[in-house]
Amino acid sequence: MERNIRYVWSNNLEEEFDLIMKIRHSHHYVALDTEFQRVIVDCPRNANEDTRYSHLELNIANRQFTQIGLCFFDAYGNLPYSGSAWQFTFKGFNSRRYPSEIKEAIDPKRFETFLKKMISGCELHWVTFHGLYDFGYMTQILTNSTLPDTLNEFLEVMAVTFPRVYDIKYMATFYKELNNGELGLELLAKILKVERYGHSHQAGSDSLLTAEIFTKMKRVFQLERKLGFYEGYLYSITSRIPRCRYLVRPIRTCAYLVSLPSGLLCRQLPVSYSCRAPNIM
């Protein structure tokens, strides 16, 4: 399949999501990238993970995401017939750069509805590069709320919404050939000889590049049987997203989870939960 990027605005949102719903089972790996306004507080490199999370909370509460890129592919790196990557542009993006298209920007509330449908009833494998902020914004969208108060609570919510995650920057930390992870997306692509399609710092192009780097890393370092070792870790966070088990009913009374689709909640929850949630059918 020839690489391309599908640009999504408010006037074609439903049409493009219909395409995604048709291919999400056959192409159940999803590379994710978000673009957002400049953070108001930079986190020190030597900060512990609780400090990093507090900075994440502050920045996400005060800075709007502007684009989300989703690139679907299968376990072998094959792209869907309908296109390579989708780029969603939201209200709050740089209107001076795209003055004629600002009125077509997507309302995040509409995207929330479609995103909940997309992740329900389908076990997606999420791939990202330095993905803490990516999943911070995705969690904010799904719950329509501020982030949980603690990192542990945030990871527990992720265990329900995004249970299978691979962060290629975290994966790179184990390979000296990849500068032990001390590099950006562009340099990682250059080392692995992966050519970018599109422009950097555009969510569609970045998500497509992330997908192709992940596939190349699997092949070069023979990771097919080792992926479980990397699963559930985000770069700069040592705590792992909790393992899940299958349950018949949702079992936690939590404002963050009650807002999510019942089909998703019934699918899997962290092992540590032991109380039943209210009926949200």
Side-chain angles (χ1 to χ4, degrees):
M1 175 67 195
E2 183 179 350
R3 297 184 297 173
N4 66 71
I5 298 169
R6 302 181 71 93
Y7 296 94
V8 188
W9 303 88
S10 63
N11 61 351
N12 66 339
L13 179 60
E14 293 188 18
E15 174 186 343
E16 295 300 323
F17 251 106
D18 284 344
L19 289 176
I20 288 174
M21 293 297 284
K22 291 177 181 177
I23 57 92
R24 64 183 180 137
H25 289 286
S26 58
H27 296 75
H28 58 283
Y29 282 79
V30 190
L32 166 68
D33 179 75
T34 59
E35 299 294 323
F36 46 89
Q37 298 167 348
R38 183 177 177 83
V39 299
I40 59 174
V41 179
D42 289 316
C43 189
R45 286 179 59 87
N46 61 348
N48 61 39
E49 61 182 26
D50 289 326
T51 300
R52 290 185 185 280
Y53 184 71
S54 66
H55 281 77
L56 175 76
E57 282 188 280
L58 178 63
N59 286 320
I60 284 184
N62 291 279
R63 287 294 181 263
Q64 173 69 33
F65 60 92
T66 56
Q67 287 183 341
I68 290 177
L70 300 175
C71 179
F72 288 78
F73 58 106
D74 66 17
Y76 304 100
N78 298 313
L79 301 168
Y81 68 90
S82 52
S84 302
W86 280 262
Q87 178 171 291
F88 303 84
T89 302
F90 297 87
K91 293 180 178 179
F93 78 113
N94 189 344
S95 59
R96 290 176 296 178
R97 186 173 179 180
Y98 306 100
S100 64
E101 297 174 327
I102 182 62
K103 63 181 180 180
E104 300 295 343
I106 300 166
D107 183 343
K109 285 292 294 180
R110 288 187 67 202
F111 185 78
E112 172 196 341
T113 300
F114 287 111
L115 182 60
K116 287 179 177 179
K117 291 179 181 178
M118 189 186 83
I119 67 173
S120 296
C122 182
E123 187 174 52
L124 298 173
H125 299 236
W126 295 85
V127 181
T128 187
F129 177 87
H130 205 338
L132 183 60
Y133 274 79
D134 294 330
F135 288 108
Y137 278 111
M138 293 290 273
T139 299
Q140 181 193 57
I141 293 169
L142 280 173
T143 61
N144 192 26
S145 175
T146 57
L147 293 183
D149 292 333
T150 68
L151 174 62
N152 284 341
E153 289 178 322
F154 171 70
L155 294 177
E156 287 179 346
V157 172
M158 277 200 63
V160 178
T161 53
F162 308 105
R164 308 199 70 171
V165 169
Y166 306 96
D167 189 325
I168 60 175
K169 186 171 174 69
Y170 171 80
M171 293 167 63
T173 63
F174 294 90
Y175 300 96
K176 63 181 181 180
E177 302 94 327
L178 303 179
N179 292 2
N180 296 113
E182 293 295 321
L183 76 182
L185 186 64
E186 293 291 342
L187 180 55
L188 182 56
K190 182 178 180 180
I191 292 173
L192 291 170
K193 296 181 171 57
V194 178
E195 184 178 354
R196 175 187 287 278
Y197 177 89
H199 303 286
S200 62
H201 303 299
Q202 292 286 296
S205 177
D206 282 0
S207 67
L208 176 55
L209 186 61
T210 298
E212 294 184 322
I213 289 173
F214 177 73
T215 300
K216 188 69 174 285
M217 288 178 68
K218 284 174 60 181
R219 184 167 68 251
V220 170
F221 298 105
Q222 300 179 331
L223 300 181
E224 191 60 50
R225 297 184 179 181
K226 305 175 185 177
L227 282 180
F229 177 77
Y230 306 105
E231 184 181 314
Y233 289 102
L234 295 172
Y235 181 80
S236 78
I237 300 296
T238 58
S239 297
R240 192 176 197 173
I241 298 169
R243 298 283 186 171
C244 294
R245 69 179 177 186
Y246 288 90
L247 298 167
V248 177
R249 294 289 302 160
I251 55 171
R252 189 183 187 203
T253 53
C254 173
Y256 295 103
L257 301 183
V258 166
S259 66
L260 298 175
S262 58
L264 177 64
L265 290 179
C266 290
R267 183 163 56 86
Q268 50 191 347
L269 284 174
V271 175
S272 60
Y273 294 170
S274 60
C275 56
R276 298 184 68 86
N279 188 346
I280 61 173
M281 297 293 191

